[in-house]
C-alpha cells in the first residue's frame, strides 16, 4: 500500500467501531475486543509487515469511539503472545494478570500501541468481550462471550484489510414455551 494516508486508516477504523457499537448496543463499561493485523492493513500477508504508524492510527480511531461511549477496549496480541489481551487494569477487576509486554514483533504493533496508550495496561490470557472487531483475519472469537452473532458492517475495510465484526447475546434457555426479552437480541 503506497502513499498511506494514516488519517484515512484512523477514520475507517473509527467508522467500523462506531457501526459495531451501534449494532451491538454496547453501553459504558462493556468491552470491545479488537484484533488487528497492520500487515494486512498495509496489503501484506499477516505477520510479515508490521507497521507502528498504522497501529497508532487505527488504535486512535477506535479509542476515540470507545472513549466517547465509555466502552472499554481490549487489544488482542498476535500468536507470538498466544493471542493474549491487553486491557486497562480497572476494566477487569480481580483478573489474573500475566507478565508480558507486547512489542511490534512479539505481540503485534496494535497491541504494543495499546499497551503504550493505556494508563495502566495489563496482559491477560483471555477475556469474554461483549463485541469484537477483527481487522485482517486475526481470529478474535476465542475472546467473545458465548453466543457470538455476526454483524455485517458497511465499513468492512481498514486499508487493505477485511474487517469482520461480531456482537454477543445471552444464551437462550428453555423450550417452546419460553419467552425471551427482545431487547437482549
Amino acid at each position: 500500500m503506497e502513499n498511506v494516508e494514516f488519517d484515512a486508516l484512523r477514520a475507517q477504523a473509527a467508522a467500523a467501531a462506531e457501526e459495531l457499537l451501534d449494532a451491538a448496543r454496547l453501553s459504558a463499561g462493556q468491552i470491545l475486543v479488537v484484533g488487528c493485523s497492520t500487515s494486512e492493513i498495509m496489503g501484506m500477508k499477516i505477520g510479515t509487515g508490521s507497521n507502528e504508524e498504522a497501529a497508532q492510527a487505527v488504535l486512535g480511531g477506535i479509542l476515540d469511539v470507545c472513549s466517547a461511549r465509555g466502552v472499554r477496549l481490549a487489544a488482542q496480541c498476535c500468536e507470538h503472545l498466544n493471542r493474549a489481551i491487553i486491557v486497562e487494569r480497572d476494566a477487569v477487576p480481580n483478573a489474573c494478570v500475566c507478565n508480558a509486554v507486547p512489542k511490534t514483533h512479539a505481540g503485534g504493533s496494535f497491541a504494543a500501541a495499546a499497551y503504550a496508550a493505556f494508563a495502566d495496561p495489563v496482559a491477560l490470557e483471555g477475556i469474554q468481550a461483549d463485541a469484537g472487531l477483527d481487522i485482517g483475519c486475526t481470529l478474535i472469537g476465542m475472546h467473545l462471550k458465548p453466543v457470538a452473532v455476526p454483524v455485517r458492517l458497511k465499513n468492512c475495510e481498514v486499508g487493505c484489510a477485511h474487517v469482520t465484526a461480531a456482537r454477543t447475546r445471552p444464551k437462550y434457555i428453555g423450550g417452546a414455551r419460553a419467552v425471551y426479552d427482545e431487547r437482549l437480541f
Side-chain angles (χ1 to χ4, degrees):
M1 184 176 198
E2 295 181 29
N3 300 323
V4 177
E5 289 289 333
F6 294 106
D7 289 340
L9 296 180
R10 183 183 185 110
Q12 289 172 332
E18 188 84 39
E19 189 177 353
L20 176 58
L21 268 56
D22 286 343
R25 295 179 282 191
L26 291 191
S27 57
Q30 289 188 292
I31 297 174
L32 170 68
V33 65
V34 176
C36 176
S37 169
T38 58
S39 299
E40 292 280 335
I41 288 170
M42 302 305 292
M44 303 173 79
K45 181 181 171 193
I46 194 169
T48 64
S50 294
N51 186 296
E52 294 171 13
E53 289 176 285
Q56 291 171 356
V58 170
L59 177 68
I62 294 170
L63 273 177
D64 287 348
V65 172
C66 288
S67 296
R69 297 182 184 213
V71 170
R72 308 310 300 264
L73 176 62
Q76 178 182 271
C77 295
C78 71
E79 64 184 293
H80 293 99
L81 287 183
N82 297 326
R83 293 191 176 86
I85 292 294
I86 305 303
V87 67
E88 291 278 10
R89 183 183 306 272
D90 65 358
V92 286
N94 304 315
C96 185
V97 173
C98 298
N99 188 356
V101 176
K103 299 294 180 186
T104 297
H105 298 292
S109 294
F110 183 77
Y115 196 92
F118 290 168
D120 188 16
V122 294
L124 309 176
E125 278 190 282
I127 199 165
Q128 287 199 328
D130 302 288
L133 277 177
D134 185 327
I135 303 170
C137 301
T138 61
L139 302 175
I140 60 162
M142 65 194 289
H143 295 301
L144 293 172
K145 290 178 179 175
V147 193
V149 178
V151 175
R152 302 264 187 246
L153 300 177
K154 293 176 188 153
N155 299 290
C156 61
E157 290 183 348
V158 174
C160 295
H162 180 72
V163 177
T164 303
R167 64 177 180 84
T168 62
R169 65 159 176 79
K171 294 178 181 180
Y172 295 148
I173 59 172
R177 295 180 294 198
V179 176
Y180 301 110
D181 184 344
E182 290 186 19
R183 295 173 299 151
L184 299 177
F185 291 164

